[in-house]
Amino acid sequence: QVQLVESGGGLVQPGESLRLSCTASGRIFTIGTMGWYRQAPGKQRDLVATITNGGSSNYADSVKGRFTISRDNAKNTVYLQMNKVKPEDTAVYYCYADSVLATTESGDFWGQGTQVTVSS
């Protein structure tokens, strides 16, 4: 069974840094694009950043220059380095993986979410 498990969320002060991790578990052969989305209270879930299995990345305008997405294909893990965080970055952050091919299932998958709160 494929599962995405996030870690690294928490409370951080404005201007500080935080690193999120997400590992896909299961007997996985390949993963296409991995990424991070976020959802603030009362708002829709929005894209933060994505990265292909070839390493091409894409960012929301609101995080360009502050956040960096990376992945380790051998570990089926994607990271989000968040620098110079702002209160408006407060949200539940969800990991996403598409085109997952595994022994028992395939498709697109979401993690359970990790809370990031930026407050002084």
Side-chain angles (χ1 to χ4, degrees):
Q1 182 178 2
V2 175
Q3 289 187 319
L4 302 183
V5 179
E6 300 108 332
S7 62
L11 175 64
V12 63
Q13 293 190 352
E16 294 186 339
S17 297
L18 198 64
R19 190 192 196 205
L20 305 182
S21 300
C22 170
T23 298
S25 62
R27 297 176 67 94
I28 296 171
F29 296 115
T30 61
I31 300 175
T33 296
M34 300 186 79
W36 293 93
Y37 288 69
R38 66 187 180 187
Q39 187 167 19
K43 296 188 177 181
Q44 65 181 18
R45 188 175 299 186
D46 292 326
L47 179 146
V48 177
T50 61
I51 185 167
T52 67
N53 54 17
S56 296
S57 58
N58 178 55
Y59 296 91
D61 288 342
S62 59
V63 306
K64 283 181 180 177
R66 300 188 298 121
F67 293 7
T68 302
I69 190 169
S70 61
R71 67 188 279 178
D72 185 332
N73 290 332
K75 297 180 179 179
N76 292 328
T77 299
V78 63
Y79 307 95
L80 185 68
Q81 178 66 43
M82 305 168 61
N83 296 331
K84 300 179 182 178
V85 296
K86 304 175 181 180
E88 51 263 44
D89 294 322
T90 295
V92 177
Y93 283 70
Y94 295 91
C95 176
Y96 171 74
D98 75 10
S99 302
V100 178
L101 179 61
T103 55
T104 59
E105 57 189 329
S106 61
D108 304 341
F109 296 87
W110 290 91
Q112 81 286 355
T114 185
Q115 177 70 46
V116 172
T117 302
V118 183
S119 176
S120 55

